[in-house]
Amino acid sequence: FLFMLSSMLQDEGVDSDEDDTSLSSYGSDLSSRKGYSASALSLTDVSWTFLFLKMFKGRLLSVYSDAGDFGNVEVQGSVEFAVMYSPVGELIIMIEQCQDLAIANPRKQRTDPYVKTYLYPDKSRRSKRKTSIKKRTVNPVYVESLRYKVKREELPDKTLNLSVWHNDSRGRNVFLGQVEIRFKTWDWGHEALTWYNLQPKVHCLKLLSSCICSKTCHLISGGSKNSTGEIHVWLREAKELRRLKPQGVDSFVKCYILPDTRKKSRQKTRIIKKTQDPVYNHAMVYDGFKTGEVSEACCELTVWDHNTLANQFLGGLRLSLGTGQSYGKKVDWMDSMDEEIQIWKRMLANPNSWVEGELPLRSSMTPRK
């Protein structure tokens, strides 16, 4: 998503959630909000903003799998492969073998693995390549090559996504791990077979942020004490959220600006049903920030799967300076990690302009006290 320098998000307790409604995704959202502590910020009117939100899927599902992704295994093991560019204009991925893969079917103590690749940003079927399937082994040997006809000058803009899967006879394939290589920084002189540890998929947010404020927006970074600015957030879409149901999740996003946790300060998107790649197209605006207040605040954003009885947490993040304090008081929610801190600093340093970044969604968050 896109953030504006004066844009911050918070959510109610990430360990529980009872929200079940959302407002239109095409206008400002002032749906009821709830929080945990008294607010030192004034958050009132909401209006349009130019901020995009993208969330990228969680660890155990590939939306590019033909049959879908099922199961819930801890990623382990490694894969050995080599990358080279041939004189005839082909990108060649030599898949040698895997080692110590997870057991995909605990009941049968069985794993039937295969390797699949995509050449991002193309995530369509024409970008997919697959090896053969090896039966009943966690140490498969392939010695196979996967090839792409692509111009050498186009490769710096592409990323190789290589993933390992268990093939299920009923089409309920299980994700076993992945490796991604960005060719922008790849050493093309390195053509030797190399072992890579398999990694889980990560929830992440792609966001643009900037300080698109009110008429007195410039005062956020220095101005009269009575001047105020705004935080604008445009939640655009999510990518690759965890699959909690066969038909996909019914997701929505909630936003708070801490330390204000009052229910009326909460904003959220409408619910997008039955998809791991929801498009929200939703704008949120918080106003009333005086000079210096943004540095004391934290933008918390969380993603939820809507259920009638209890909504389920899918991931979240907190954008702040990560000082552990707000207005001189120790708070547990000012716990931003390096990437979150850096994007927040960039927003503060660039009022009235967009800042783009990509952040992982946390799989768990410390409850606010």
Side-chain angles (χ1 to χ4, degrees):
F1 41 112
L2 298 172
F3 270 94
M4 317 176 77
L5 183 163
S6 60
S7 96
M8 314 171 96
L9 309 176
Q10 174 205 4
D11 179 8
E12 54 196 58
V14 289
D15 54 335
S16 64
D17 177 76
E18 71 283 5
D19 287 347
D20 55 11
T21 59
S22 323
L23 298 189
S24 167
S25 66
Y26 287 95
S28 303
D29 180 351
L30 276 180
S31 58
S32 58
R33 305 172 229 156
K34 133 180 142 178
Y36 291 7
S37 62
S39 172
L41 305 179
S42 172
L43 310 177
T44 54
D45 296 339
V46 173
S47 63
W48 275 103
T49 167
F50 303 92
L51 198 152
F52 303 91
L53 156 61
K54 274 192 175 182
M55 288 156 243
F56 297 124
K57 164 180 177 183
R59 54 182 288 171
L60 295 178
L61 167 70
S62 167
V63 294
Y64 313 123
S65 172
D66 287 346
D69 172 21
F70 300 84
N72 184 13
V73 302
E74 289 296 324
V75 172
Q76 67 178 54
S78 54
V79 56
E80 185 183 28
F81 65 94
V83 177
M84 60 193 70
Y85 191 80
S86 76
V88 297
E90 283 187 325
L91 175 67
I92 303 174
I93 300 95
M94 298 293 299
I95 312 295
E96 186 72 7
Q97 60 185 317
C98 297
Q99 189 175 69
D100 193 28
L101 298 176
I103 298 295
N105 189 328
R107 184 173 63 84
K108 295 183 178 180
Q109 286 295 296
R110 176 168 178 167
T111 300
D112 297 340
Y114 66 94
V115 176
K116 179 171 63 173
T117 63
Y118 283 90
L119 198 57
Y120 290 173
D122 186 356
K123 300 178 181 180
S124 66
R125 289 193 178 186
R126 67 174 176 269
S127 175
K128 181 170 65 176
R129 306 287 189 272
K130 295 197 297 184
T131 67
S132 59
I133 300 167
K134 302 302 179 181
K135 302 287 188 179
R136 298 179 181 276
T137 178
V138 294
N139 299 294
V141 177
Y142 299 100
V143 193
E144 299 178 32
S145 63
L146 305 178
R147 299 169 180 263
Y148 292 88
K149 192 72 174 179
V150 58
K151 295 180 180 179
R152 179 67 176 268
E153 57 268 26
E154 296 176 355
L155 287 174
D157 296 324
K158 298 186 183 296
T159 297
L160 173 67
N161 175 272
L162 183 151
S163 55
V164 184
W165 295 79
H166 162 70
N167 181 72
D168 186 87
S169 59
R170 297 170 297 172
R172 301 174 67 86
N173 297 339
V174 177
F175 174 74
L176 299 176
Q178 69 173 8
V179 174
E180 287 196 346
I181 291 177
R182 296 181 180 180
F183 291 130
K184 185 176 183 178
T185 57
W186 180 251
D187 177 10
W188 291 102
H190 178 68
E191 296 184 350
L193 287 167
T194 304
W195 284 100
Y196 298 86
N197 291 328
L198 291 170
Q199 303 294 326
K201 293 190 177 180
V202 178
H203 295 282
C204 61
L205 296 171
K206 185 175 183 180
L207 57 84
L208 295 177
S209 62
S210 69
C211 183
I212 306 294
C213 302
S214 64
K215 295 179 181 179
T216 57
C217 169
H218 63 284
L219 296 172
I220 284 185
S221 56
S224 94
K225 295 182 179 179
N226 295 324
S227 300
T228 61
E230 298 174 344
I231 290 176
H232 295 227
V233 179
W234 177 7
L235 304 177
R236 184 176 180 181
E237 61 182 323
K239 287 292 183 182
E240 300 183 30
L241 296 176
R242 280 184 298 163
R243 185 187 295 271
L244 301 179
K245 314 164 193 171
Q247 72 273 23
V249 295
D250 301 335
S251 69
F252 65 95
V253 180
K254 290 195 297 182
C255 166
Y256 282 91
I257 302 295
L258 302 175
D260 191 349
T261 56
R262 296 172 300 171
K263 188 170 184 178
K264 69 177 184 179
S265 74
R266 181 185 63 213
Q267 297 189 42
K268 56 183 178 177
T269 69
R270 64 191 175 100
I271 299 169
I272 308 299
K273 296 185 176 182
K274 299 181 180 180
T275 178
Q276 266 43 64
D277 303 282
V279 176
Y280 301 108
N281 232 358
H282 189 95
M284 303 177 184
V285 175
Y286 291 86
D287 73 356
F289 291 90
K290 295 181 180 179
T291 303
E293 285 190 325
V294 176
S295 297
E296 301 293 335
C298 173
C299 170
E300 183 180 86
L301 181 128
T302 50
V303 188
W304 301 84
D305 174 44
H306 171 68
N307 288 282
T308 303
L309 297 179
N311 297 323
Q312 185 164 347
F313 177 69
L314 296 176
L317 58 81
R318 287 179 178 141
L319 304 179
S320 72
L321 295 181
T323 60
Q325 295 187 349
S326 177
Y327 296 97
K329 179 182 178 181
K330 287 187 177 182
V331 290
D332 55 0
W333 44 261
M334 195 70 101
D335 62 349
S336 298
M337 295 179 283
D338 289 345
E339 290 178 280
E340 297 167 336
I341 292 172
Q342 290 307 312
I343 194 68
W344 195 245
K345 286 182 176 179
R346 287 169 58 197
M347 288 190 290
L348 291 172
N350 294 277
N352 300 307
S353 62
W354 293 111
V355 176
E356 183 174 6
E358 185 170 317
L359 298 173
L361 281 174
R362 306 184 194 181
S363 59
S364 63
M365 296 174 70
T366 303
R368 288 182 267 108
K369 297 178 181 178

